[in-house]
Amino acid sequence: ILGKSNAAHATALGKAILAWLPESELHEIIHLKGMSRFTENTICNVETLKTQLRFVRHHGYAEDCEEFQPGVICIGAAIRDYTGGVIASLSSSSPKMRASQEFLATIRERVMATATELSQELGSRSHKS
């Protein structure tokens, strides 16, 4: 996504990766790709994005609440390799109308568990995706 899309700042997949980049690399990506608005919920402010990325690092998952596509909520998590470095991410999307707090909690747990499982298969010893 980072190399092929201008939407990393607006997707759970992208934020799950961006959160683990050095700040200089984050700024370079923003400079090259911009922060296009896709919906009225799209984050187009660097400081707001940084706040969300701190949330991702703290909680281990990223959220996109109608930031890329109206009516869609997405939860993503990073996948790590044997060095502990983030090499990819995975996500699950849902129509907002089905996204109760209970449903989202289940999706968060499953996305993070799957990211952890894939990371472990790649040799990662990290417990937080």
Side-chain angles (χ1 to χ4, degrees):
I1 263 189
L2 293 179
K4 307 225 182 249
S5 173
N6 294 333
H9 67 289
T11 65
L13 283 170
K15 289 188 271 185
I17 294 172
L18 291 176
W20 304 101
L21 294 177
E23 192 164 326
S24 61
E25 202 169 329
L26 172 66
H27 284 285
E28 183 178 338
I29 289 168
I30 291 170
H31 176 74
L32 291 172
K33 301 292 184 177
M35 294 182 74
S36 300
R37 180 170 296 285
F38 299 97
T39 72
E40 63 184 39
N41 291 345
T42 303
I43 296 169
C44 296
N45 175 283
V46 175
E47 292 308 313
T48 304
L49 177 62
K50 286 181 182 180
T51 298
Q52 283 226 342
L53 299 180
R54 281 191 292 276
F55 175 92
V56 174
R57 288 189 298 273
H58 180 75
H59 294 284
Y61 67 90
E63 290 186 337
D64 154 14
C65 187
E66 297 185 281
E67 294 170 48
F68 185 63
Q69 193 171 26
V72 177
I73 294 178
C74 187
I75 297 172
I79 299 170
R80 298 176 180 276
D81 68 5
Y82 67 96
T83 69
V86 173
I87 59 165
S89 59
L90 63 87
S91 69
S92 177
S93 297
S94 174
K96 186 176 180 185
M97 65 184 176
R98 288 194 334 202
S100 69
Q101 290 305 314
E102 183 178 306
F103 178 79
L104 290 175
T106 300
I107 296 302
R108 278 185 210 103
E109 289 173 22
R110 291 181 180 175
V111 164
M112 291 191 320
T114 302
T116 297
E117 184 179 325
L118 288 170
S119 296
Q120 289 172 344
E121 286 182 22
L122 295 170
S124 176
R125 290 183 292 232
S126 174
H127 295 291
K128 190 178 238 187
S129 295

PDB file of all heavy atoms in Angstrom, residues 39-65:
ATOM      1  N   THR A  39     -13.086  11.114   2.265  1.00  0.00           N
ATOM      2  CA  THR A  39     -14.420  11.298   2.840  1.00  0.00           C
ATOM      3  C   THR A  39     -14.327  12.470   3.811  1.00  0.00           C
ATOM      4  O   THR A  39     -13.235  12.982   4.089  1.00  0.00           O
ATOM      5  CB  THR A  39     -14.905  10.058   3.622  1.00  0.00           C
ATOM      6  OG1 THR A  39     -14.164   9.963   4.847  1.00  0.00           O
ATOM      7  CG2 THR A  39     -14.775   8.779   2.810  1.00  0.00           C
ATOM      8  N   GLU A  40     -15.445  12.843   4.377  1.00  0.00           N
ATOM      9  CA  GLU A  40     -15.414  13.928   5.369  1.00  0.00           C
ATOM     10  C   GLU A  40     -14.689  13.502   6.649  1.00  0.00           C
ATOM     11  O   GLU A  40     -14.287  14.352   7.444  1.00  0.00           O
ATOM     12  CB  GLU A  40     -16.825  14.415   5.693  1.00  0.00           C
ATOM     13  CG  GLU A  40     -17.718  13.382   6.332  1.00  0.00           C
ATOM     14  CD  GLU A  40     -19.134  13.879   6.546  1.00  0.00           C
ATOM     15  OE1 GLU A  40     -19.651  14.581   5.672  1.00  0.00           O
ATOM     16  OE2 GLU A  40     -19.705  13.542   7.604  1.00  0.00           O
ATOM     17  N   ASN A  41     -14.463  12.203   6.856  1.00  0.00           N
ATOM     18  CA  ASN A  41     -13.756  11.707   8.045  1.00  0.00           C
ATOM     19  C   ASN A  41     -12.260  11.508   7.829  1.00  0.00           C
ATOM     20  O   ASN A  41     -11.549  11.149   8.768  1.00  0.00           O
ATOM     21  CB  ASN A  41     -14.362  10.376   8.504  1.00  0.00           C
ATOM     22  CG  ASN A  41     -15.749  10.532   9.071  1.00  0.00           C
ATOM     23  OD1 ASN A  41     -16.194  11.626   9.385  1.00  0.00           O
ATOM     24  ND2 ASN A  41     -16.456   9.438   9.196  1.00  0.00           N
ATOM     25  N   THR A  42     -11.775  11.689   6.621  1.00  0.00           N
ATOM     26  CA  THR A  42     -10.355  11.474   6.337  1.00  0.00           C
ATOM     27  C   THR A  42      -9.498  12.432   7.148  1.00  0.00           C
ATOM     28  O   THR A  42      -9.761  13.634   7.197  1.00  0.00           O
ATOM     29  CB  THR A  42     -10.055  11.690   4.841  1.00  0.00           C
ATOM     30  OG1 THR A  42     -10.873  10.832   4.064  1.00  0.00           O
ATOM     31  CG2 THR A  42      -8.591  11.411   4.535  1.00  0.00           C
ATOM     32  N   ILE A  43      -8.471  11.885   7.770  1.00  0.00           N
ATOM     33  CA  ILE A  43      -7.503  12.698   8.503  1.00  0.00           C
ATOM     34  C   ILE A  43      -6.567  13.349   7.486  1.00  0.00           C
ATOM     35  O   ILE A  43      -5.887  12.646   6.736  1.00  0.00           O
ATOM     36  CB  ILE A  43      -6.699  11.839   9.487  1.00  0.00           C
ATOM     37  CG1 ILE A  43      -7.621  11.274  10.550  1.00  0.00           C
ATOM     38  CG2 ILE A  43      -5.557  12.639  10.106  1.00  0.00           C
ATOM     39  CD1 ILE A  43      -6.982  10.220  11.415  1.00  0.00           C
ATOM     40  N   CYS A  44      -6.534  14.674   7.480  1.00  0.00           N
ATOM     41  CA  CYS A  44      -5.690  15.403   6.533  1.00  0.00           C
ATOM     42  C   CYS A  44      -4.700  16.308   7.256  1.00  0.00           C
ATOM     43  O   CYS A  44      -4.090  17.187   6.647  1.00  0.00           O
ATOM     44  CB  CYS A  44      -6.554  16.220   5.575  1.00  0.00           C
ATOM     45  SG  CYS A  44      -7.599  15.197   4.521  1.00  0.00           S
ATOM     46  N   ASN A  45      -4.545  16.111   8.548  1.00  0.00           N
ATOM     47  CA  ASN A  45      -3.648  16.905   9.374  1.00  0.00           C
ATOM     48  C   ASN A  45      -2.564  15.992   9.942  1.00  0.00           C
ATOM     49  O   ASN A  45      -2.875  14.961  10.551  1.00  0.00           O
ATOM     50  CB  ASN A  45      -4.463  17.563  10.501  1.00  0.00           C
ATOM     51  CG  ASN A  45      -3.613  18.300  11.483  1.00  0.00           C
ATOM     52  OD1 ASN A  45      -2.979  17.684  12.342  1.00  0.00           O
ATOM     53  ND2 ASN A  45      -3.592  19.615  11.370  1.00  0.00           N
ATOM     54  N   VAL A  46      -1.309  16.375   9.761  1.00  0.00           N
ATOM     55  CA  VAL A  46      -0.184  15.531  10.186  1.00  0.00           C
ATOM     56  C   VAL A  46      -0.207  15.274  11.688  1.00  0.00           C
ATOM     57  O   VAL A  46       0.026  14.148  12.134  1.00  0.00           O
ATOM     58  CB  VAL A  46       1.168  16.149   9.758  1.00  0.00           C
ATOM     59  CG1 VAL A  46       2.334  15.348  10.308  1.00  0.00           C
ATOM     60  CG2 VAL A  46       1.251  16.262   8.251  1.00  0.00           C
ATOM     61  N   GLU A  47      -0.478  16.274  12.492  1.00  0.00           N
ATOM     62  CA  GLU A  47      -0.466  16.088  13.947  1.00  0.00           C
ATOM     63  C   GLU A  47      -1.585  15.146  14.393  1.00  0.00           C
ATOM     64  O   GLU A  47      -1.386  14.326  15.292  1.00  0.00           O
ATOM     65  CB  GLU A  47      -0.550  17.437  14.669  1.00  0.00           C
ATOM     66  CG  GLU A  47       0.704  18.283  14.487  1.00  0.00           C
ATOM     67  CD  GLU A  47       1.992  17.544  14.833  1.00  0.00           C
ATOM     68  OE1 GLU A  47       2.050  16.886  15.895  1.00  0.00           O
ATOM     69  OE2 GLU A  47       2.955  17.637  14.044  1.00  0.00           O
ATOM     70  N   THR A  48      -2.749  15.238  13.767  1.00  0.00           N
ATOM     71  CA  THR A  48      -3.851  14.320  14.089  1.00  0.00           C
ATOM     72  C   THR A  48      -3.467  12.896  13.696  1.00  0.00           C
ATOM     73  O   THR A  48      -3.731  11.944  14.444  1.00  0.00           O
ATOM     74  CB  THR A  48      -5.148  14.755  13.372  1.00  0.00           C
ATOM     75  OG1 THR A  48      -5.439  16.105  13.743  1.00  0.00           O
ATOM     76  CG2 THR A  48      -6.307  13.855  13.747  1.00  0.00           C
ATOM     77  N   LEU A  49      -2.834  12.755  12.545  1.00  0.00           N
ATOM     78  CA  LEU A  49      -2.361  11.432  12.125  1.00  0.00           C
ATOM     79  C   LEU A  49      -1.355  10.879  13.122  1.00  0.00           C
ATOM     80  O   LEU A  49      -1.443   9.719  13.522  1.00  0.00           O
ATOM     81  CB  LEU A  49      -1.744  11.493  10.727  1.00  0.00           C
ATOM     82  CG  LEU A  49      -1.142  10.188  10.208  1.00  0.00           C
ATOM     83  CD1 LEU A  49      -2.199   9.095  10.094  1.00  0.00           C
ATOM     84  CD2 LEU A  49      -0.453  10.419   8.875  1.00  0.00           C
ATOM     85  N   LYS A  50      -0.421  11.689  13.560  1.00  0.00           N
ATOM     86  CA  LYS A  50       0.590  11.238  14.533  1.00  0.00           C
ATOM     87  C   LYS A  50      -0.080  10.774  15.831  1.00  0.00           C
ATOM     88  O   LYS A  50       0.355   9.789  16.435  1.00  0.00           O
ATOM     89  CB  LYS A  50       1.593  12.346  14.820  1.00  0.00           C
ATOM     90  CG  LYS A  50       2.571  12.578  13.711  1.00  0.00           C
ATOM     91  CD  LYS A  50       3.538  13.679  14.132  1.00  0.00           C
ATOM     92  CE  LYS A  50       4.530  14.018  13.069  1.00  0.00           C
ATOM     93  NZ  LYS A  50       5.446  15.077  13.510  1.00  0.00           N
ATOM     94  N   THR A  51      -1.128  11.468  16.247  1.00  0.00           N
ATOM     95  CA  THR A  51      -1.865  11.056  17.443  1.00  0.00           C
ATOM     96  C   THR A  51      -2.472   9.674  17.234  1.00  0.00           C
ATOM     97  O   THR A  51      -2.392   8.804  18.112  1.00  0.00           O
ATOM     98  CB  THR A  51      -2.968  12.076  17.788  1.00  0.00           C
ATOM     99  OG1 THR A  51      -2.338  13.337  18.069  1.00  0.00           O
ATOM    100  CG2 THR A  51      -3.804  11.636  18.973  1.00  0.00           C
ATOM    101  N   GLN A  52      -3.061   9.449  16.052  1.00  0.00           N
ATOM    102  CA  GLN A  52      -3.625   8.130  15.755  1.00  0.00           C
ATOM    103  C   GLN A  52      -2.536   7.061  15.707  1.00  0.00           C
ATOM    104  O   GLN A  52      -2.748   5.938  16.145  1.00  0.00           O
ATOM    105  CB  GLN A  52      -4.384   8.166  14.433  1.00  0.00           C
ATOM    106  CG  GLN A  52      -5.727   8.813  14.551  1.00  0.00           C
ATOM    107  CD  GLN A  52      -6.795   8.012  13.852  1.00  0.00           C
ATOM    108  OE1 GLN A  52      -6.524   7.161  13.019  1.00  0.00           O
ATOM    109  NE2 GLN A  52      -8.036   8.302  14.198  1.00  0.00           N
ATOM    110  N   LEU A  53      -1.378   7.397  15.172  1.00  0.00           N
ATOM    111  CA  LEU A  53      -0.287   6.418  15.083  1.00  0.00           C
ATOM    112  C   LEU A  53       0.245   6.060  16.465  1.00  0.00           C
ATOM    113  O   LEU A  53       0.632   4.911  16.703  1.00  0.00           O
ATOM    114  CB  LEU A  53       0.817   6.930  14.163  1.00  0.00           C
ATOM    115  CG  LEU A  53       0.383   7.194  12.708  1.00  0.00           C
ATOM    116  CD1 LEU A  53       1.565   7.691  11.880  1.00  0.00           C
ATOM    117  CD2 LEU A  53      -0.269   5.983  12.081  1.00  0.00           C
ATOM    118  N   ARG A  54       0.240   7.005  17.399  1.00  0.00           N
ATOM    119  CA  ARG A  54       0.610   6.684  18.794  1.00  0.00           C
ATOM    120  C   ARG A  54      -0.397   5.703  19.379  1.00  0.00           C
ATOM    121  O   ARG A  54      -0.033   4.772  20.095  1.00  0.00           O
ATOM    122  CB  ARG A  54       0.684   7.960  19.634  1.00  0.00           C
ATOM    123  CG  ARG A  54       1.970   8.736  19.438  1.00  0.00           C
ATOM    124  CD  ARG A  54       2.147   9.841  20.479  1.00  0.00           C
ATOM    125  NE  ARG A  54       1.181  10.916  20.346  1.00  0.00           N
ATOM    126  CZ  ARG A  54       1.291  11.954  19.529  1.00  0.00           C
ATOM    127  NH1 ARG A  54       2.352  12.076  18.747  1.00  0.00           N
ATOM    128  NH2 ARG A  54       0.369  12.887  19.484  1.00  0.00           N
ATOM    129  N   PHE A  55      -1.687   5.908  19.067  1.00  0.00           N
ATOM    130  CA  PHE A  55      -2.736   4.986  19.509  1.00  0.00           C
ATOM    131  C   PHE A  55      -2.453   3.580  18.978  1.00  0.00           C
ATOM    132  O   PHE A  55      -2.556   2.599  19.712  1.00  0.00           O
ATOM    133  CB  PHE A  55      -4.102   5.481  19.006  1.00  0.00           C
ATOM    134  CG  PHE A  55      -5.226   4.541  19.301  1.00  0.00           C
ATOM    135  CD1 PHE A  55      -5.968   4.668  20.466  1.00  0.00           C
ATOM    136  CD2 PHE A  55      -5.559   3.524  18.410  1.00  0.00           C
ATOM    137  CE1 PHE A  55      -7.015   3.790  20.741  1.00  0.00           C
ATOM    138  CE2 PHE A  55      -6.598   2.641  18.683  1.00  0.00           C
ATOM    139  CZ  PHE A  55      -7.324   2.776  19.847  1.00  0.00           C
ATOM    140  N   VAL A  56      -2.086   3.483  17.709  1.00  0.00           N
ATOM    141  CA  VAL A  56      -1.788   2.189  17.085  1.00  0.00           C
ATOM    142  C   VAL A  56      -0.640   1.507  17.819  1.00  0.00           C
ATOM    143  O   VAL A  56      -0.716   0.322  18.156  1.00  0.00           O
ATOM    144  CB  VAL A  56      -1.443   2.353  15.589  1.00  0.00           C
ATOM    145  CG1 VAL A  56      -0.983   1.033  14.980  1.00  0.00           C
ATOM    146  CG2 VAL A  56      -2.623   2.924  14.816  1.00  0.00           C
ATOM    147  N   ARG A  57       0.421   2.248  18.077  1.00  0.00           N
ATOM    148  CA  ARG A  57       1.582   1.663  18.772  1.00  0.00           C
ATOM    149  C   ARG A  57       1.210   1.209  20.183  1.00  0.00           C
ATOM    150  O   ARG A  57       1.673   0.181  20.653  1.00  0.00           O
ATOM    151  CB  ARG A  57       2.741   2.665  18.815  1.00  0.00           C
ATOM    152  CG  ARG A  57       3.403   2.868  17.467  1.00  0.00           C
ATOM    153  CD  ARG A  57       4.675   3.677  17.573  1.00  0.00           C
ATOM    154  NE  ARG A  57       4.466   5.025  18.078  1.00  0.00           N
ATOM    155  CZ  ARG A  57       4.164   6.089  17.334  1.00  0.00           C
ATOM    156  NH1 ARG A  57       4.018   5.968  16.023  1.00  0.00           N
ATOM    157  NH2 ARG A  57       4.020   7.273  17.883  1.00  0.00           N
ATOM    158  N   HIS A  58       0.366   1.959  20.846  1.00  0.00           N
ATOM    159  CA  HIS A  58      -0.021   1.628  22.215  1.00  0.00           C
ATOM    160  C   HIS A  58      -0.973   0.416  22.280  1.00  0.00           C
ATOM    161  O   HIS A  58      -0.829  -0.453  23.133  1.00  0.00           O
ATOM    162  CB  HIS A  58      -0.667   2.840  22.886  1.00  0.00           C
ATOM    163  CG  HIS A  58      -1.095   2.589  24.294  1.00  0.00           C
ATOM    164  ND1 HIS A  58      -0.200   2.509  25.336  1.00  0.00           N
ATOM    165  CD2 HIS A  58      -2.317   2.382  24.837  1.00  0.00           C
ATOM    166  CE1 HIS A  58      -0.841   2.269  26.456  1.00  0.00           C
ATOM    167  NE2 HIS A  58      -2.139   2.184  26.184  1.00  0.00           N
ATOM    168  N   HIS A  59      -1.954   0.382  21.360  1.00  0.00           N
ATOM    169  CA  HIS A  59      -2.997  -0.646  21.418  1.00  0.00           C
ATOM    170  C   HIS A  59      -2.759  -1.840  20.506  1.00  0.00           C
ATOM    171  O   HIS A  59      -3.392  -2.876  20.675  1.00  0.00           O
ATOM    172  CB  HIS A  59      -4.360  -0.030  21.105  1.00  0.00           C
ATOM    173  CG  HIS A  59      -4.806   0.953  22.134  1.00  0.00           C
ATOM    174  ND1 HIS A  59      -5.304   0.583  23.360  1.00  0.00           N
ATOM    175  CD2 HIS A  59      -4.805   2.310  22.142  1.00  0.00           C
ATOM    176  CE1 HIS A  59      -5.603   1.655  24.065  1.00  0.00           C
ATOM    177  NE2 HIS A  59      -5.306   2.721  23.355  1.00  0.00           N
ATOM    178  N   GLY A  60      -1.895  -1.693  19.504  1.00  0.00           N
ATOM    179  CA  GLY A  60      -1.576  -2.810  18.628  1.00  0.00           C
ATOM    180  C   GLY A  60      -2.497  -2.984  17.432  1.00  0.00           C
ATOM    181  O   GLY A  60      -2.385  -3.962  16.705  1.00  0.00           O
ATOM    182  N   TYR A  61      -3.414  -2.048  17.227  1.00  0.00           N
ATOM    183  CA  TYR A  61      -4.291  -2.113  16.059  1.00  0.00           C
ATOM    184  C   TYR A  61      -4.602  -0.702  15.566  1.00  0.00           C
ATOM    185  O   TYR A  61      -4.491   0.263  16.311  1.00  0.00           O
ATOM    186  CB  TYR A  61      -5.592  -2.866  16.371  1.00  0.00           C
ATOM    187  CG  TYR A  61      -6.501  -2.152  17.352  1.00  0.00           C
ATOM    188  CD1 TYR A  61      -7.467  -1.255  16.906  1.00  0.00           C
ATOM    189  CD2 TYR A  61      -6.395  -2.371  18.719  1.00  0.00           C
ATOM    190  CE1 TYR A  61      -8.289  -0.591  17.803  1.00  0.00           C
ATOM    191  CE2 TYR A  61      -7.207  -1.723  19.614  1.00  0.00           C
ATOM    192  CZ  TYR A  61      -8.153  -0.831  19.149  1.00  0.00           C
ATOM    193  OH  TYR A  61      -8.967  -0.174  20.032  1.00  0.00           O
ATOM    194  N   ALA A  62      -4.993  -0.625  14.310  1.00  0.00           N
ATOM    195  CA  ALA A  62      -5.375   0.644  13.692  1.00  0.00           C
ATOM    196  C   ALA A  62      -6.843   0.590  13.314  1.00  0.00           C
ATOM    197  O   ALA A  62      -7.381  -0.486  13.033  1.00  0.00           O
ATOM    198  CB  ALA A  62      -4.530   0.888  12.443  1.00  0.00           C
ATOM    199  N   GLU A  63      -7.477   1.744  13.300  1.00  0.00           N
ATOM    200  CA  GLU A  63      -8.871   1.830  12.871  1.00  0.00           C
ATOM    201  C   GLU A  63      -9.022   2.861  11.766  1.00  0.00           C
ATOM    202  O   GLU A  63      -8.304   3.852  11.724  1.00  0.00           O
ATOM    203  CB  GLU A  63      -9.785   2.223  14.037  1.00  0.00           C
ATOM    204  CG  GLU A  63      -9.939   1.138  15.057  1.00  0.00           C
ATOM    205  CD  GLU A  63     -10.965   1.476  16.127  1.00  0.00           C
ATOM    206  OE1 GLU A  63     -11.249   2.672  16.359  1.00  0.00           O
ATOM    207  OE2 GLU A  63     -11.477   0.527  16.731  1.00  0.00           O
ATOM    208  N   ASP A  64      -9.975   2.614  10.914  1.00  0.00           N
ATOM    209  CA  ASP A  64     -10.387   3.534   9.863  1.00  0.00           C
ATOM    210  C   ASP A  64     -11.904   3.587   9.952  1.00  0.00           C
ATOM    211  O   ASP A  64     -12.579   2.616   9.641  1.00  0.00           O
ATOM    212  CB  ASP A  64      -9.887   3.004   8.509  1.00  0.00           C
ATOM    213  CG  ASP A  64     -10.699   3.441   7.302  1.00  0.00           C
ATOM    214  OD1 ASP A  64     -11.520   4.376   7.403  1.00  0.00           O
ATOM    215  OD2 ASP A  64     -10.519   2.825   6.250  1.00  0.00           O
ATOM    216  N   CYS A  65     -12.424   4.682  10.454  1.00  0.00           N
ATOM    217  CA  CYS A  65     -13.873   4.834  10.618  1.00  0.00           C
ATOM    218  C   CYS A  65     -14.398   5.768   9.531  1.00  0.00           C
ATOM    219  O   CYS A  65     -14.420   6.983   9.712  1.00  0.00           O
ATOM    220  CB  CYS A  65     -14.192   5.361  12.004  1.00  0.00           C
ATOM    221  SG  CYS A  65     -15.960   5.378  12.344  1.00  0.00           S
TER     222      CYS A  65
END
